[in-house]
Amino acid sequence: MRRIALVGPAHPYKGGGARHTTELAHRLAAQGHRVRIESWLAQYPAALYPGEQTVADPEGEPFPDTRHDLAWYRPDGWFATGRRLARTEDLVVLTLFSPVQVPAYLGILAGLRSSRPSRGRERTRVVVLCHNVLPHERRAVDVSLVRALLRRADGVLTHSTEQARLAEGLLGSERRRPVVAPMPPHLPDTGARSAPEPGERRHLLFLGIVRPYKGVDVLLRALAEGAPGDVTLTVAGEFWGGSADLTALARRLGVADRVRFREGYVPAEELPELFAAADAMVLPYRSATASQNVWLAHEHGLPVIATRAGALADHVREGVDGMLCEPGDVTDLARALADFYRPGVPERLRAGVRPVEAAPFWKDYTDRLLGA
């Protein structure tokens, strides 16, 4: 049994990051470890995140031993948290989503290292769990910050081989190699689901935060070039910087009447209706690390049309429960959309969809994390 602290977002913070941290805590506790979450009172300055950071209702079962003391504007609290954790924990896991978190994590590390372990106890170990080693759209300072964090940790875990190579470059040749652990499912609780209605909807869905690397502009161009003229699209999620540019692009391409922009965070209770109205989820990413959206679509009986960016393709069985194409390639995505709407294909791929079995993924993940 280990005493483990996870430092990262938890309810009332929203989205996959908070769900992952919370589910990881539940899984480790079920294995007999004493687990707590050190979460945020204020994670980012509001100016850095264009949207609501929190939600009123939890998207899963909250973890009972969760504190919300950390704040980006209280460096004294970072150091004090590290000192406290050094007295009580065997392992501290810092969940890294953005370099904005790194100053706070360096403060926690300084507090951890400043405290000598009591007699009979080993020094608290620190693992950085990288959801993203570096941002998709990065600045020079991001590299310096993340390098400083990774080189001070005892271990690093990434979610793909590609991300591990990126971390190795920051760690330097004489450091321990990162551990690679594919991200396990941490899906929102959307309530009871019924079997999908038969027949085609002639409708596609993109779901998630809309940022340039997600390739929604590529999807709009492919919709105009390759999808049948009666096929429509919903783009649902928070728009990083607003939807004006994409709205103008849809108008120039002549597909504005076929595209609905559903702006704003999509709470879990609205997901079943969005999925029920679609034939497939489309993930047109230019780049990616890992995503829950393939599993989320499959959980609701939907096939997936995705690019081969990052780990997206790992969970799509091409020709069985989805289709794949090259990242950033309008023509190849248009080809995939046209192939998907050949007679009988949507129903055949829908019949091949199976929900993911989460337990084996989580057992492998926690084993690798504890070994990091």
Side-chain angles (χ1 to χ4, degrees):
M1 189 272 285
R2 297 194 197 185
R3 294 168 292 185
I4 303 169
L6 308 178
V7 183
H11 180 73
Y13 285 93
K14 61 180 173 60
R19 290 197 299 271
H20 180 274
T21 304
T22 304
E23 183 68 15
L24 177 56
H26 282 297
R27 297 280 176 170
L28 289 169
Q31 293 175 12
H33 303 289
R34 198 277 288 134
V35 184
R36 62 171 46 115
I37 297 176
E38 297 286 338
S39 191
W40 297 87
L41 177 65
Q43 184 171 203
Y44 305 128
L48 297 181
Y49 190 93
E52 292 295 326
Q53 296 189 33
T54 60
V55 292
D57 299 318
E59 298 178 317
E61 182 185 355
F63 191 72
D65 194 353
T66 301
R67 298 171 63 121
H68 293 87
D69 294 339
L70 294 169
W72 63 266
Y73 53 81
R74 290 295 305 270
D76 56 323
W78 311 341
F79 187 84
T81 296
R83 294 273 295 182
R84 173 169 53 80
L85 295 179
R87 294 192 296 269
T88 61
E89 308 304 311
D90 302 315
L91 173 64
V92 171
V93 179
L94 304 175
T95 61
L96 178 64
F97 296 92
S98 166
V100 175
Q101 300 168 294
V102 171
Y105 287 169
L106 291 175
I108 291 171
L109 273 165
L112 281 162
R113 301 301 190 230
S114 72
S115 181
R116 291 186 176 182
S118 58
R119 184 172 297 177
R121 282 199 66 227
E122 293 186 358
R123 176 175 66 87
T124 301
R125 300 290 178 174
V126 177
V127 170
V128 179
L129 191 164
C130 299
H131 287 263
N132 294 301
V133 174
L134 289 168
H136 296 275
E137 297 118 9
R138 70 191 62 158
R139 306 159 299 167
V141 69
D142 296 334
V143 175
S144 301
L145 284 169
V146 176
R147 179 188 292 118
L149 176 65
L150 299 189
R151 291 189 176 189
R152 286 166 171 79
D154 299 298
V156 175
L157 182 141
T158 69
H159 290 146
S160 71
T161 302
E162 179 185 25
Q163 288 286 294
R165 285 195 294 266
L166 188 57
E168 281 184 19
L170 298 177
L171 285 165
S173 59
E174 297 182 5
R175 304 277 175 167
R176 289 183 62 187
R177 290 187 175 182
V179 170
V180 178
M183 183 187 286
H186 51 264
L187 304 177
D189 182 4
T190 58
R193 288 177 294 280
S194 57
E197 294 291 330
E200 293 183 14
R201 284 76 169 157
R202 311 297 284 180
H203 187 72
L204 300 168
L205 173 66
F206 172 92
L207 176 70
I209 295 179
V210 181
R211 298 182 65 173
Y213 77 89
K214 298 284 187 77
V216 174
D217 60 314
V218 178
L219 175 55
L220 293 179
R221 295 179 192 278
L223 183 73
E225 181 179 314
D230 63 336
V231 172
T232 57
L233 167 70
T234 291
V235 178
E238 292 178 296
F239 283 67
W240 206 266
S243 63
D245 288 346
L246 290 171
T247 300
L249 176 61
R251 191 177 301 115
R252 289 197 304 272
L253 293 169
V255 296
D257 61 336
R258 297 166 56 192
V259 179
R260 178 173 78 99
F261 295 114
R262 188 274 184 216
E263 296 191 54
Y265 184 73
V266 182
E269 62 267 20
E270 292 185 22
L271 291 175
E273 182 178 355
L274 282 174
F275 284 116
D279 292 316
M281 168 93 83
V282 187
L283 304 176
Y285 291 29
R286 287 183 167 90
S287 63
T289 49
S291 172
Q292 294 289 299
N293 277 350
V294 173
W295 282 324
L296 182 58
H298 287 174
E299 190 74 10
H300 288 265
L302 236 61
V304 174
I305 303 168
T307 70
R308 294 184 176 88
L312 291 179
D314 292 350
H315 308 300
V316 176
R317 296 174 294 164
E318 189 164 18
V320 177
D321 56 23
M323 289 185 165
L324 297 172
C325 61
E326 294 306 309
D329 189 327
V330 172
T331 300
D332 202 30
L333 179 54
R335 184 271 312 161
L337 296 181
D339 286 349
F340 179 80
Y341 276 108
R342 293 187 187 280
V345 173
E347 285 290 293
R348 177 171 60 79
L349 294 183
R350 186 187 289 269
V353 171
R354 298 289 183 272
V356 63
E357 186 180 350
F361 285 94
W362 276 106
K363 179 62 168 63
D364 178 68
Y365 189 82
T366 54
D367 286 349
R368 295 191 192 202
L369 173 64
L370 296 176

